[in-house]
Amino acid sequence: MSENEFDVIVIGGGPGGYVCAIRCAQSGLATACIEGRGALGGTCLNVGCIPSKALLHASHLYHESRSNFRTMGIMGDPPSVDLARMMTYKGDTISQNTAGIEFLFKKNKVTYIKGWGRMSGDGQVLVGESSYRAKNVVIATGSEPSSLQAVPVDEKRIVTSTGALALEAIPERMAVIGAGVIGLELGSVYARLGSKVTVIEYLNEITPGLDKDICKAFRRALSKQGLKFVLGAEVTGVKDSGEYSTLTYALRKSSSEKELDAEVVLVATGRKPFVDGLGFTECGGKLNDHGQIVTDAKWRTSIEGVFAIGDVIAGPMLAHKAEDEGMAVADSIAGKAGHVNYDVIPGVIYTAPEVAYVGKTEDQLKDEGTAYRVGTFPFMGNARAKSMFMGEGFVKLLADAESDRILGCHVLGPTAGELIHEVCVAMEFGASAEDLALTCHAHPTCSEAVREAALACGLGAIHA
Ligand code: NAI
């Protein structure tokens, strides 16, 4: 095999692509990964999940220092924010992680090709002047923000998540368009740092698609933290008023037009698949009406020997979904069984309190006519949560009325993003609510709330 020939070329070095490349190499396949951004880790590591978690962590501690420190007897002047330093901490967190992936590539003998890849047919991929070839090509090119035509982004004052993660000053007022994951996570960051944050959402509730009880309680929790919500409103335009921008939005119920001034406008209205310059359609590849690459159950595209995974195909745009597809497609290429259980993919919103969910919502079960039982347990009944001032929220477990098999779980509360995984494992093993309820959970932990919700599906919770 010449040095430009491989068993597998992965285009894109985000969570889907780099995991796929490492897994291919672990199976003994000669593997290259092409990435044009200059750093591995994709959107998630460079301008998404990881930097936003760094800012969420820092701003949460700042908020705690101002709200709960004195109550716990931690005295002294409340700290102030040096945003430049906070951004340096965020940058260090990113670079440590991107360097970590480069190390993993070297360790696993994955060839890292720097540049933008362009498919030219027959397994050939061009990067600048160089040409590479592989029997298998995996497209893992991810997604990009899908902004609104009426609100042109400059990444300074009208920003997507990318610009919001790199602001030079804390805005006095921030308008967030879209009450989805990005809008609420980054809106929370700036609200904690002192901005007056108003979120404008087209639909009548925040976080569309989530369990309705969670949505309501989540909105109440964020409102208490100072976020303002305008629901059922469509943003129709923006004008530059010098120091600030003026957004116009129409209330869908009354069609009345309103205005909102803000120093920074965050456009968080979703993301779209990224295939620009890839040469996929020019090689005969098929996209669907949403611009996603069409794949079959084994992630094969319409071009022989070309696979696609992650945000660029259908399904939730989540780093861990892409990672799982990356591993599964690598296993398929290596002749093993590659499998993703799309029924058990958790979702997490990293606000405080956190939101986490897996499986069916109550509405989905009603719509499909499944008889179910609900067990809920409030964190107010959990000693550990209360000791941390985190008694807000609850666990809601849904189980089949006849078999008791767990069908879904929805959590609003402390460490929800960690708690959800015991339910994921339980679901993978086809466990019943009683299985969870009879599993010993250490005391005092927040995880006891999950057990109590499982008990509530049967005879009843103990501490409710
Ligand atoms: P999203 O799809 O979650 O939410 C966008 C919201 O904008 C929707 O509620 C929609 O109704 C609203 N909207 C659209 N047009 C509007 C208009 N003209 N006026 C008012 N509201 C409007 O999209 P988001 O938050 O941008 O996230 C993009 C993707 O990134 C999602 O798929 C998300 O799952 C993923 N992501 C996941 C994270 C996590 O797992 N923690 C973190 C960040 C992003």
Side-chain angles (χ1 to χ4, degrees), residues 13 20 46 61 73-74 116 120 123 149 166 171 179 236 252 265 276 310 316 319 364 381 395 404 408 435 454:
C20 179
N46 292 282
L61 292 182
I74 304 173
W116 298 105
S120 63
Q149 235 176 7
T236 48
R252 294 197 296 130
V265 176
D276 289 357
Q364 281 171 330
V395 179
D404 196 36
D435 289 328

PDB file of all heavy atoms in Angstrom, residues 13 20 46 61 73-74 116 120 123 149 166 171 179 236 252 265 276 310 316 319 364 381 395 404 408 435 454:
ATOM      1  N   GLY A  13     -12.672  15.537  11.641  1.00  0.00           N
ATOM      2  CA  GLY A  13     -12.030  15.057  12.878  1.00  0.00           C
ATOM      3  C   GLY A  13     -12.791  15.442  14.132  1.00  0.00           C
ATOM      4  O   GLY A  13     -12.195  15.664  15.188  1.00  0.00           O
ATOM      5  N   CYS A  20     -14.263   7.224  15.026  1.00  0.00           N
ATOM      6  CA  CYS A  20     -14.312   6.233  13.948  1.00  0.00           C
ATOM      7  C   CYS A  20     -12.887   5.859  13.518  1.00  0.00           C
ATOM      8  O   CYS A  20     -12.562   4.680  13.367  1.00  0.00           O
ATOM      9  CB  CYS A  20     -15.106   6.816  12.765  1.00  0.00           C
ATOM     10  SG  CYS A  20     -15.206   5.704  11.359  1.00  0.00           S
ATOM     11  N   ASN A  46     -14.015  22.453  19.823  1.00  0.00           N
ATOM     12  CA  ASN A  46     -13.449  23.775  19.538  1.00  0.00           C
ATOM     13  C   ASN A  46     -14.414  24.931  19.775  1.00  0.00           C
ATOM     14  O   ASN A  46     -14.019  25.958  20.313  1.00  0.00           O
ATOM     15  CB  ASN A  46     -12.931  23.805  18.090  1.00  0.00           C
ATOM     16  CG  ASN A  46     -11.722  22.907  17.923  1.00  0.00           C
ATOM     17  OD1 ASN A  46     -10.623  23.280  18.314  1.00  0.00           O
ATOM     18  ND2 ASN A  46     -11.921  21.721  17.363  1.00  0.00           N
ATOM     19  N   LEU A  61     -19.930  28.697  39.297  1.00  0.00           N
ATOM     20  CA  LEU A  61     -19.199  28.935  40.551  1.00  0.00           C
ATOM     21  C   LEU A  61     -19.308  30.399  40.963  1.00  0.00           C
ATOM     22  O   LEU A  61     -19.465  30.725  42.146  1.00  0.00           O
ATOM     23  CB  LEU A  61     -17.730  28.523  40.395  1.00  0.00           C
ATOM     24  CG  LEU A  61     -17.480  27.019  40.244  1.00  0.00           C
ATOM     25  CD1 LEU A  61     -15.996  26.727  40.149  1.00  0.00           C
ATOM     26  CD2 LEU A  61     -18.086  26.233  41.406  1.00  0.00           C
ATOM     27  N   GLY A  73     -21.418  29.946  55.284  1.00  0.00           N
ATOM     28  CA  GLY A  73     -20.369  30.447  56.169  1.00  0.00           C
ATOM     29  C   GLY A  73     -19.058  30.714  55.470  1.00  0.00           C
ATOM     30  O   GLY A  73     -18.010  30.763  56.110  1.00  0.00           O
ATOM     31  N   ILE A  74     -19.107  30.852  54.152  1.00  0.00           N
ATOM     32  CA  ILE A  74     -17.874  31.215  53.432  1.00  0.00           C
ATOM     33  C   ILE A  74     -17.933  32.724  53.213  1.00  0.00           C
ATOM     34  O   ILE A  74     -18.739  33.216  52.413  1.00  0.00           O
ATOM     35  CB  ILE A  74     -17.753  30.456  52.092  1.00  0.00           C
ATOM     36  CG1 ILE A  74     -17.826  28.953  52.344  1.00  0.00           C
ATOM     37  CG2 ILE A  74     -16.448  30.822  51.379  1.00  0.00           C
ATOM     38  CD1 ILE A  74     -17.890  28.104  51.092  1.00  0.00           C
ATOM     39  N   TRP A 116      -8.679  20.625   3.941  1.00  0.00           N
ATOM     40  CA  TRP A 116     -10.080  20.320   3.626  1.00  0.00           C
ATOM     41  C   TRP A 116     -10.134  19.230   2.559  1.00  0.00           C
ATOM     42  O   TRP A 116      -9.505  19.360   1.517  1.00  0.00           O
ATOM     43  CB  TRP A 116     -10.816  21.578   3.142  1.00  0.00           C
ATOM     44  CG  TRP A 116     -10.853  22.642   4.211  1.00  0.00           C
ATOM     45  CD1 TRP A 116     -10.104  23.781   4.260  1.00  0.00           C
ATOM     46  CD2 TRP A 116     -11.651  22.636   5.404  1.00  0.00           C
ATOM     47  NE1 TRP A 116     -10.382  24.489   5.409  1.00  0.00           N
ATOM     48  CE2 TRP A 116     -11.335  23.816   6.131  1.00  0.00           C
ATOM     49  CE3 TRP A 116     -12.598  21.764   5.937  1.00  0.00           C
ATOM     50  CZ2 TRP A 116     -11.934  24.129   7.357  1.00  0.00           C
ATOM     51  CZ3 TRP A 116     -13.188  22.088   7.158  1.00  0.00           C
ATOM     52  CH2 TRP A 116     -12.856  23.249   7.848  1.00  0.00           C
ATOM     53  N   SER A 120     -13.367  13.011  -5.093  1.00  0.00           N
ATOM     54  CA  SER A 120     -13.367  13.158  -6.555  1.00  0.00           C
ATOM     55  C   SER A 120     -13.724  11.843  -7.248  1.00  0.00           C
ATOM     56  O   SER A 120     -13.418  11.653  -8.412  1.00  0.00           O
ATOM     57  CB  SER A 120     -12.017  13.694  -7.039  1.00  0.00           C
ATOM     58  OG  SER A 120     -11.016  12.773  -6.723  1.00  0.00           O
ATOM     59  N   GLY A 123     -13.152   6.495  -4.541  1.00  0.00           N
ATOM     60  CA  GLY A 123     -12.376   6.412  -3.306  1.00  0.00           C
ATOM     61  C   GLY A 123     -11.250   7.422  -3.220  1.00  0.00           C
ATOM     62  O   GLY A 123     -10.418   7.354  -2.308  1.00  0.00           O
ATOM     63  N   GLN A 149     -32.309  34.569   7.788  1.00  0.00           N
ATOM     64  CA  GLN A 149     -31.981  35.538   6.731  1.00  0.00           C
ATOM     65  C   GLN A 149     -32.128  36.979   7.217  1.00  0.00           C
ATOM     66  O   GLN A 149     -31.317  37.843   6.888  1.00  0.00           O
ATOM     67  CB  GLN A 149     -32.914  35.307   5.549  1.00  0.00           C
ATOM     68  CG  GLN A 149     -32.115  35.077   4.293  1.00  0.00           C
ATOM     69  CD  GLN A 149     -33.013  34.750   3.121  1.00  0.00           C
ATOM     70  OE1 GLN A 149     -34.239  34.821   3.204  1.00  0.00           O
ATOM     71  NE2 GLN A 149     -32.379  34.397   2.024  1.00  0.00           N
ATOM     72  N   ALA A 166     -16.939  33.668  22.597  1.00  0.00           N
ATOM     73  CA  ALA A 166     -15.704  34.461  22.517  1.00  0.00           C
ATOM     74  C   ALA A 166     -15.993  35.958  22.657  1.00  0.00           C
ATOM     75  O   ALA A 166     -15.270  36.775  22.100  1.00  0.00           O
ATOM     76  CB  ALA A 166     -15.009  34.162  21.187  1.00  0.00           C
ATOM     77  N   PRO A 171     -22.272  41.592  27.867  1.00  0.00           N
ATOM     78  CA  PRO A 171     -23.261  42.573  27.402  1.00  0.00           C
ATOM     79  C   PRO A 171     -24.240  42.935  28.509  1.00  0.00           C
ATOM     80  O   PRO A 171     -24.574  42.092  29.333  1.00  0.00           O
ATOM     81  CB  PRO A 171     -23.978  41.830  26.269  1.00  0.00           C
ATOM     82  CG  PRO A 171     -23.735  40.381  26.523  1.00  0.00           C
ATOM     83  CD  PRO A 171     -22.444  40.264  27.266  1.00  0.00           C
ATOM     84  N   ALA A 179     -35.272  29.046  22.034  1.00  0.00           N
ATOM     85  CA  ALA A 179     -35.151  28.478  23.386  1.00  0.00           C
ATOM     86  C   ALA A 179     -34.816  27.000  23.314  1.00  0.00           C
ATOM     87  O   ALA A 179     -35.434  26.160  23.963  1.00  0.00           O
ATOM     88  CB  ALA A 179     -36.440  28.701  24.163  1.00  0.00           C
ATOM     89  N   THR A 236     -38.463  38.777  13.255  1.00  0.00           N
ATOM     90  CA  THR A 236     -38.645  39.111  11.839  1.00  0.00           C
ATOM     91  C   THR A 236     -37.529  39.990  11.285  1.00  0.00           C
ATOM     92  O   THR A 236     -37.404  40.140  10.076  1.00  0.00           O
ATOM     93  CB  THR A 236     -39.993  39.829  11.634  1.00  0.00           C
ATOM     94  OG1 THR A 236     -40.103  40.866  12.617  1.00  0.00           O
ATOM     95  CG2 THR A 236     -41.169  38.881  11.784  1.00  0.00           C
ATOM     96  N   ARG A 252     -47.215  35.614  17.645  1.00  0.00           N
ATOM     97  CA  ARG A 252     -47.986  34.847  16.654  1.00  0.00           C
ATOM     98  C   ARG A 252     -49.481  34.881  16.938  1.00  0.00           C
ATOM     99  O   ARG A 252     -50.288  34.853  16.025  1.00  0.00           O
ATOM    100  CB  ARG A 252     -47.483  33.406  16.614  1.00  0.00           C
ATOM    101  CG  ARG A 252     -46.040  33.339  16.081  1.00  0.00           C
ATOM    102  CD  ARG A 252     -45.664  31.960  15.642  1.00  0.00           C
ATOM    103  NE  ARG A 252     -45.675  31.046  16.757  1.00  0.00           N
ATOM    104  CZ  ARG A 252     -46.297  29.874  16.759  1.00  0.00           C
ATOM    105  NH1 ARG A 252     -46.982  29.487  15.700  1.00  0.00           N
ATOM    106  NH2 ARG A 252     -46.240  29.082  17.807  1.00  0.00           N
ATOM    107  N   VAL A 265     -26.945  39.936  20.247  1.00  0.00           N
ATOM    108  CA  VAL A 265     -28.045  39.058  19.851  1.00  0.00           C
ATOM    109  C   VAL A 265     -27.446  37.681  19.539  1.00  0.00           C
ATOM    110  O   VAL A 265     -26.519  37.578  18.728  1.00  0.00           O
ATOM    111  CB  VAL A 265     -28.773  39.594  18.597  1.00  0.00           C
ATOM    112  CG1 VAL A 265     -29.863  38.619  18.146  1.00  0.00           C
ATOM    113  CG2 VAL A 265     -29.353  40.983  18.853  1.00  0.00           C
ATOM    114  N   ASP A 276     -20.477  21.636   2.359  1.00  0.00           N
ATOM    115  CA  ASP A 276     -19.889  22.578   1.391  1.00  0.00           C
ATOM    116  C   ASP A 276     -18.484  22.145   0.965  1.00  0.00           C
ATOM    117  O   ASP A 276     -17.648  21.835   1.805  1.00  0.00           O
ATOM    118  CB  ASP A 276     -19.772  23.987   2.012  1.00  0.00           C
ATOM    119  CG  ASP A 276     -21.121  24.627   2.184  1.00  0.00           C
ATOM    120  OD1 ASP A 276     -22.112  24.002   1.777  1.00  0.00           O
ATOM    121  OD2 ASP A 276     -21.177  25.743   2.736  1.00  0.00           O
ATOM    122  N   GLY A 310     -23.004  10.982  12.047  1.00  0.00           N
ATOM    123  CA  GLY A 310     -23.033  12.226  12.835  1.00  0.00           C
ATOM    124  C   GLY A 310     -24.049  13.250  12.356  1.00  0.00           C
ATOM    125  O   GLY A 310     -25.080  12.902  11.777  1.00  0.00           O
ATOM    126  N   PRO A 316     -30.642  12.978  15.986  1.00  0.00           N
ATOM    127  CA  PRO A 316     -30.286  14.104  16.860  1.00  0.00           C
ATOM    128  C   PRO A 316     -28.845  14.560  16.625  1.00  0.00           C
ATOM    129  O   PRO A 316     -27.966  13.718  16.405  1.00  0.00           O
ATOM    130  CB  PRO A 316     -30.455  13.541  18.276  1.00  0.00           C
ATOM    131  CG  PRO A 316     -30.439  12.067  18.139  1.00  0.00           C
ATOM    132  CD  PRO A 316     -30.935  11.747  16.764  1.00  0.00           C
ATOM    133  N   ALA A 319     -23.011  14.930  19.977  1.00  0.00           N
ATOM    134  CA  ALA A 319     -21.664  14.384  19.828  1.00  0.00           C
ATOM    135  C   ALA A 319     -21.638  12.883  20.109  1.00  0.00           C
ATOM    136  O   ALA A 319     -20.998  12.114  19.378  1.00  0.00           O
ATOM    137  CB  ALA A 319     -20.714  15.112  20.773  1.00  0.00           C
ATOM    138  N   GLN A 364     -45.392  10.868  23.824  1.00  0.00           N
ATOM    139  CA  GLN A 364     -45.125   9.850  22.791  1.00  0.00           C
ATOM    140  C   GLN A 364     -45.847   8.547  23.131  1.00  0.00           C
ATOM    141  O   GLN A 364     -46.425   7.904  22.264  1.00  0.00           O
ATOM    142  CB  GLN A 364     -43.622   9.603  22.662  1.00  0.00           C
ATOM    143  CG  GLN A 364     -42.901  10.671  21.850  1.00  0.00           C
ATOM    144  CD  GLN A 364     -41.381  10.518  21.921  1.00  0.00           C
ATOM    145  OE1 GLN A 364     -40.821  10.045  22.897  1.00  0.00           O
ATOM    146  NE2 GLN A 364     -40.715  10.941  20.860  1.00  0.00           N
ATOM    147  N   GLY A 381     -37.034  15.883  48.283  1.00  0.00           N
ATOM    148  CA  GLY A 381     -37.039  14.740  49.198  1.00  0.00           C
ATOM    149  C   GLY A 381     -35.691  14.037  49.246  1.00  0.00           C
ATOM    150  O   GLY A 381     -35.572  12.949  49.805  1.00  0.00           O
ATOM    151  N   VAL A 395     -37.312  13.588  39.280  1.00  0.00           N
ATOM    152  CA  VAL A 395     -37.069  12.483  38.341  1.00  0.00           C
ATOM    153  C   VAL A 395     -38.431  11.927  37.960  1.00  0.00           C
ATOM    154  O   VAL A 395     -39.296  11.744  38.820  1.00  0.00           O
ATOM    155  CB  VAL A 395     -36.240  11.358  38.997  1.00  0.00           C
ATOM    156  CG1 VAL A 395     -36.020  10.215  38.003  1.00  0.00           C
ATOM    157  CG2 VAL A 395     -34.912  11.882  39.506  1.00  0.00           C
ATOM    158  N   ASP A 404     -43.793  -3.677  33.196  1.00  0.00           N
ATOM    159  CA  ASP A 404     -42.984  -2.843  34.111  1.00  0.00           C
ATOM    160  C   ASP A 404     -41.634  -2.443  33.480  1.00  0.00           C
ATOM    161  O   ASP A 404     -40.787  -1.864  34.145  1.00  0.00           O
ATOM    162  CB  ASP A 404     -42.767  -3.580  35.452  1.00  0.00           C
ATOM    163  CG  ASP A 404     -42.302  -2.641  36.549  1.00  0.00           C
ATOM    164  OD1 ASP A 404     -42.756  -1.477  36.582  1.00  0.00           O
ATOM    165  OD2 ASP A 404     -41.455  -3.064  37.368  1.00  0.00           O
ATOM    166  N   GLY A 408     -38.813   5.173  29.559  1.00  0.00           N
ATOM    167  CA  GLY A 408     -38.215   6.511  29.429  1.00  0.00           C
ATOM    168  C   GLY A 408     -37.939   7.096  30.791  1.00  0.00           C
ATOM    169  O   GLY A 408     -38.498   6.646  31.807  1.00  0.00           O
ATOM    170  N   ASP A 435     -36.614  -3.566  38.942  1.00  0.00           N
ATOM    171  CA  ASP A 435     -35.170  -3.879  38.996  1.00  0.00           C
ATOM    172  C   ASP A 435     -34.389  -2.692  39.561  1.00  0.00           C
ATOM    173  O   ASP A 435     -33.484  -2.852  40.369  1.00  0.00           O
ATOM    174  CB  ASP A 435     -34.632  -4.213  37.590  1.00  0.00           C
ATOM    175  CG  ASP A 435     -35.133  -5.556  37.073  1.00  0.00           C
ATOM    176  OD1 ASP A 435     -35.343  -6.464  37.895  1.00  0.00           O
ATOM    177  OD2 ASP A 435     -35.321  -5.677  35.844  1.00  0.00           O
ATOM    178  N   ALA A 454     -38.363   5.044  40.707  1.00  0.00           N
ATOM    179  CA  ALA A 454     -38.669   3.658  40.326  1.00  0.00           C
ATOM    180  C   ALA A 454     -39.612   3.031  41.360  1.00  0.00           C
ATOM    181  O   ALA A 454     -40.563   2.327  41.004  1.00  0.00           O
ATOM    182  CB  ALA A 454     -37.371   2.856  40.200  1.00  0.00           C
TER     183      ALA A 454
END
